Amino acid sequence: MPSLRQERRLVTSIPGPRSRELMARKREAVADAVANTWPVFAARAGGGIIEDVDGNHLIDLGSGLGVTVVGNAAQAVVQRLTAQASRFTHTAFSVTPYEGYVEVAEALAELTPGDHAKKSVLFNSGAEAVENAVKIARVHTGRQAVVVFDHAYHGRTNLTMALTAKTMPFKQGFGPFAPEIYRVPVAYPYRWPTGPHNCAREAADQAIDQITKQIGADNVAAIVIEPLLGEGGFIEPAEGFLPAIRRFAADNNIVFVADEIQSGFCRTGQWFACEDEGIVPDLIVTAKGIAGGLPLAAVTGRAEIMDSVHAGGLGGTYGGNPVACAAALGAIATMKELDLTSKARNIETVLKSRLALLAEKFDIIGDIRGRGAMIAIELVRDRTTKEPNPEATIAVARACHEAGVLVLTTGTYSNVIRFLPPLVIGEDLVREGLDVLENSFAQAA
């Protein structure tokens, strides 16, 4: 939305009267289980701004849960999807195929790590893609067990709920869950009992020991991990942990699956987060940032693994919808044209330098972590005990929201504030959002 002024402007209280009116209608028509982080209704969005129905201009540091990497209504996305929608909106690729699906698969083969032959299959959501990655791995290996990690989040379908670690709100009351899912430790430097320097080696040793003794490596079809954990609290596994797990997978013919749904497509300052330690996964799962806001997801992987599934075994009515594929091609073109990996690294510099100053001022900030435009702070009651502080987290986020800045909370202990701005956001808006954050900490202290 080039015409949308890139400035924070409050003309009503947050939420305003029109948003409150719509929220009352929402309560009557929409299931209560569909909760809202921010009770404001969007009218327009673009760059780093959301304009609500009351005319307020709000700074967006959440990008629709990490989706609008290229911003809302990016020109190339709008142009391509509009042109495609005017030709046809659906045929079902499994019935009458179309070029856009093939083009997206070709782009994914080019962009994802590794120079081996790759193939892709497209879906609607990240959870659907993760579930299908597990299906592919099971067929390819002839094995059943799947290994996941503490603090993981992989979705809300029955199988992906089993893969996800946190119970509330994602799993509570929804069981029984899919079997043959096994959870092992992840290298969480801030909370590792013997300290961050021991974290990678000890966590990898523990994980591999548990897999070997409790499951048996020759029973494991797949190891599924987020190279930078999302809903678990933007945890960066200690350096060396991922390579150790990757080697173990390769040595035991286990399919290594990188879940890059939140961390992919320039978000971390690389096209994909696993590139930071040179990880080449067997399968990589993508969604969120892939299509500029339209529902699209993918499993991309080694051709011999992808082709192990029988004809007709993968797919779905809407998977790889032609309009979503057109949007994805526009989004990828925008990422390349604007060099959004560099922009993500610049956002990291701005965020981390200012957050370090805030940590000197407010001792409830226990940790600052993340890469690129995927940064978080973990709030604690005491830096020595590291006891989580979810109450302060909620209070700071609420104060930001009331001042017109969208931030998101997350984490296994609900004590993490995460920053996921669109990569096209202006640096001035990031800095202003951080000013609001500092004021919010002062209010909450």
Side-chain angles (χ1 to χ4, degrees):
M1 297 291 293
S3 63
L4 189 60
R5 289 182 65 87
Q6 296 296 294
E7 62 179 16
R8 182 173 64 110
R9 183 183 69 201
L10 301 183
V11 296
T12 73
S13 60
I14 305 296
R18 178 67 176 144
S19 280
R20 292 196 296 270
E21 177 187 329
L22 288 170
M23 188 56 67
R25 287 172 55 189
K26 182 252 182 186
R27 284 192 290 268
E28 292 297 317
V30 179
D32 288 348
V34 182
N36 301 104
T37 298
W38 211 11
V40 297
F41 278 73
R44 296 193 303 164
I49 291 292
I50 297 172
E51 182 181 17
D52 73 7
V53 291
D54 291 289
N56 298 297
H57 280 206
L58 313 165
I59 296 176
D60 180 13
L61 299 183
S63 62
L65 291 172
V67 168
T68 55
V69 166
V70 297
N72 270 286
Q75 187 175 23
V77 173
V78 172
Q79 288 175 344
R80 293 195 187 215
L81 73 85
T82 301
Q84 177 58 54
S86 70
R87 293 192 293 271
F88 61 92
T89 58
H90 178 72
T91 67
F93 187 77
S94 60
V95 178
T96 306
Y98 36 87
E99 186 177 5
Y101 191 117
V102 177
E103 288 183 288
V104 171
E106 290 171 337
L108 289 167
E110 172 202 342
L111 294 170
T112 53
D115 57 5
H116 51 275
K118 303 172 198 166
K119 292 189 176 182
S120 292
V121 58
L122 305 184
F123 300 100
N124 305 292
S125 71
E128 190 180 349
V130 171
E131 186 148 338
N132 277 274
V134 170
K135 288 162 56 178
I136 294 165
R138 283 174 166 167
V139 170
H140 176 71
T141 61
R143 306 169 180 177
Q144 299 299 314
V146 178
V147 172
V148 289
F149 293 82
D150 287 339
H151 309 288
Y153 177 85
H154 297 292
R156 295 174 183 257
T157 63
N158 185 266
L159 175 59
T160 57
M161 280 191 296
L163 303 177
T164 291
K166 188 175 181 179
T167 296
M168 191 68 181
F170 306 120
K171 302 166 68 170
Q172 183 66 33
F174 296 139
F177 303 117
E180 287 297 307
I181 308 299
Y182 300 88
R183 194 170 311 284
V184 297
V186 74
Y188 186 168
Y190 180 64
R191 292 191 173 276
W192 196 253
T194 60
H197 298 298
N198 300 317
C199 182
R201 178 181 53 80
E202 292 182 358
D205 287 348
Q206 287 184 26
I208 291 168
D209 184 64
Q210 287 185 30
I211 294 168
T212 303
K213 290 180 178 176
Q214 298 179 23
I215 312 166
D218 56 356
N219 293 317
V220 179
I223 294 175
V224 183
I225 190 167
E226 302 158 273
L228 201 165
L229 281 70
E231 300 298 321
F234 282 24
I235 299 165
E236 291 184 272
E239 186 176 352
F241 176 79
L242 286 173
I245 299 299
R246 180 68 185 97
R247 284 193 299 271
F248 174 78
D251 290 344
N252 291 278
N253 298 312
I254 298 168
V255 177
F256 185 90
V257 182
D259 179 344
E260 294 261 11
I261 289 166
Q262 191 161 164
S263 58
F265 292 102
C266 306
R267 170 61 63 186
T268 65
Q270 302 271 17
W271 276 92
F272 299 97
C274 59
E275 295 179 79
D276 274 333
E277 290 193 84
I279 301 296
V280 177
D282 297 311
L283 302 179
I284 186 168
V285 181
T286 54
K288 289 191 183 291
I290 191 173
L294 271 73
L296 189 69
V299 181
T300 302
R302 297 181 183 276
E304 67 273 18
I305 297 177
M306 298 295 291
D307 285 344
S308 60
V309 179
H310 52 276
L314 303 175
T317 302
Y318 296 105
N321 170 270
V323 178
C325 285
L329 294 169
I332 290 168
T334 301
M335 293 172 205
K336 291 180 176 180
E337 178 185 351
L338 299 181
D339 188 13
L340 292 189
T341 54
S342 293
K343 290 188 180 296
R345 291 192 292 270
N346 182 64
I347 289 170
E348 176 182 351
T349 299
V350 173
L351 283 170
K352 282 190 170 178
S353 60
R354 183 65 179 278
L355 292 172
L357 294 176
L358 293 185
E360 293 176 3
K361 191 173 183 179
F362 301 103
D363 59 10
I364 61 172
I365 298 176
D367 193 29
I368 302 167
R369 56 179 179 256
R371 299 197 296 273
M374 190 172 175
I375 305 296
I377 50 176
E378 181 166 353
L379 305 191
V380 294
R381 300 186 196 280
D382 180 273
R383 286 181 177 172
T384 301
T385 65
K386 300 181 182 179
E387 181 185 353
N389 195 339
E391 295 82 7
T393 305
I394 293 169
V396 170
R398 182 181 296 119
C400 286
H401 296 167
E402 291 172 352
V405 176
L406 173 61
V407 296
L408 301 172
T409 60
T410 191
T412 298
Y413 312 107
S414 302
N415 68 323
V416 174
I417 296 176
R418 55 177 163 168
F419 306 94
L420 277 170
L423 301 188
V424 295
I425 192 172
E427 186 177 316
D428 58 330
L429 289 179
V430 177
R431 293 187 183 280
E432 184 176 0
L434 290 167
D435 290 341
V436 170
L437 178 71
E438 181 170 0
N439 291 335
S440 298
F441 268 103
Q443 293 178 42

